[in-house]
C-alpha cells in the first residue's frame, strides 16, 4: 500500500511533498512488490482532494482511512485485482526523504511559502534560524499585512508564542522549541 497515486510520489515519506508541491489531488495505491521501490503493477487506486492549506496530518489520516477501506475491498476479490493489475507508466516521480533543508524556513520566503512548509511537516517540525538561534516549529499560523518592517524581526514574544515579521505579513509561532 502506498499513500500517493503512483507513479507520482514514489518514495519513503511522500506526504510532505503533497503539501510542498501544492498538489490538489492525491490518493492511495495498492500495488505488487517489485525489484524497484514503489514500481510494482497497480492493483487499485483511489483519489481524494487536498484542500488549500492542508496539513501533513490531514493528508496522512485521509490516506490511512482510505487505505483501510481499499484493503477490505481488495481482499474480497484479491485474485481478480491481482490478475487485472496494470503496469505503472514510467518513470514517474521519486520523492526522497525530506532533508533538513526542505524543512527549513528561509527569510526569502513569503508568508504563503512559510505556511506551506509549516503545514507540510506539522508536528514533525520545520526549522527557522532567528537571531542566531535554531527554532524547531511544530505549529504556526500567520496573517497577511503590508508591513514595512524588515523580515525576521521579533514583534512579540511570550513563554508560548513568538510573532515574527515575514515577507507579506506576520508569522505567529505557537508551538516551538529552541534547539
Amino acid at each position: 500500500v502506498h499513500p500517493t497515486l503512483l507513479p507520482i510520489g514514489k518514495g519513503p515519506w511522500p506526504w510532505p511533498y503533497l503539501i510542498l508541491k501544492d498538489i490538489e489531488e492525491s490518493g492511495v495505491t495498492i500495488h505488487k512488490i517489485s525489484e524497484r521501490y514503489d514500481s510494482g503493477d497497480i492493483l487499485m487506486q483511489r483519489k481524494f482532494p487536498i484542500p488549500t492549506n492542508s496539513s501533513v496530518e490531514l493528508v496522512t489520516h485521509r490516506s490511512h482511512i482510505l487505505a483501510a477501506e481499499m484493503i477490505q475491498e481488495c481482499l474480497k476479490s484479491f485474485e481478480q485485482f491481482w490478475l487485472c493489475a496494470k503496469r505503472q507508466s514510467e518513470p514517474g516521480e521519486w520523492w526522497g526523504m525530506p532533508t533538513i533543508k526542505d524543512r527549513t524556513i528561509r527569510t526569502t520566503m513569503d508568508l504563503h511559502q512559510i505556511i506551506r512548509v509549516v503545514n507540510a511537516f506539522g508536528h514533525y517540525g520545520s526549522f527557522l534560524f532567528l537571531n542566531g538561534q535554531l527554532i524547531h516549529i511544530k505549529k504556526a499560523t500567520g496573517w497577511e499585512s503590508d508591513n514595512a518592517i524588515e523580515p525576521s524581526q521579533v514583534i512579540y514574544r511570550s513563554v508560548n508564542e513568538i510573532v515574527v515579521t515575514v515577507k507579506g505579513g506576520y508569522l505567529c509561532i505557537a508551538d516551538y522549541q529552541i534547539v
Side-chain angles (χ1 to χ4, degrees):
V1 177
H2 188 78
T4 65
L5 297 171
L6 293 174
I8 304 298
K10 295 178 180 185
W13 192 35
W15 291 306
Y17 290 106
L18 295 171
I19 308 299
L20 291 172
K21 293 174 175 280
D22 203 21
I23 293 176
E24 296 177 357
E25 181 179 71
S26 189
V28 174
T29 302
I30 296 178
H31 65 94
K32 293 180 180 181
I33 301 299
S34 68
E35 289 182 14
R36 291 190 330 256
Y37 201 79
D38 292 336
S39 295
D41 295 349
I42 295 172
L43 278 67
M44 68 187 310
Q45 290 184 312
R46 296 288 185 271
K47 298 177 181 179
F48 62 83
I50 301 175
T52 304
N53 293 326
S54 288
S55 66
V56 69
E57 291 87 359
L58 181 139
V59 175
T60 301
H61 296 313
R62 188 101 190 243
S63 295
H64 286 165
I65 290 167
L66 182 57
E69 294 168 0
M70 291 171 62
I71 289 168
Q72 289 177 3
E73 180 182 346
C74 188
L75 289 175
K76 288 179 184 174
S77 303
F78 185 74
E79 187 174 348
Q80 179 183 350
F81 281 108
W82 187 265
L83 295 173
C84 295
K86 293 182 170 60
R87 288 200 183 278
Q88 291 187 40
S89 57
E90 291 295 334
E93 285 185 33
W94 174 263
W95 297 344
M97 196 66 178
T99 64
I100 294 296
K101 184 178 179 181
D102 295 326
R103 296 170 61 183
T104 301
I105 296 165
R106 294 176 297 287
T107 57
T108 56
M109 294 176 165
D110 67 26
L111 177 63
H112 297 288
Q113 293 169 315
I114 291 169
I115 295 299
R116 188 173 295 135
V117 171
V118 169
N119 289 346
F121 296 101
H123 68 270
Y124 300 101
S126 51
F127 298 95
L128 171 67
F129 284 101
L130 184 64
N131 298 331
Q133 294 181 313
L134 180 61
I135 300 175
H136 182 222
I137 301 169
K138 293 187 177 184
K139 183 178 178 184
T141 58
W143 65 93
E144 294 179 350
S145 174
D146 292 331
N147 68 54
I149 305 169
E150 184 178 328
S152 298
Q153 301 300 310
V154 176
I155 300 300
Y156 172 79
R157 184 178 219 134
S158 72
V159 174
N160 301 319
E161 296 177 320
I162 301 172
V163 177
V164 180
T165 56
V166 296
K167 286 185 180 180
Y170 296 90
L171 180 67
C172 178
I173 304 167
D175 186 359
Y176 68 94
Q177 180 179 12
I178 296 174
V179 181

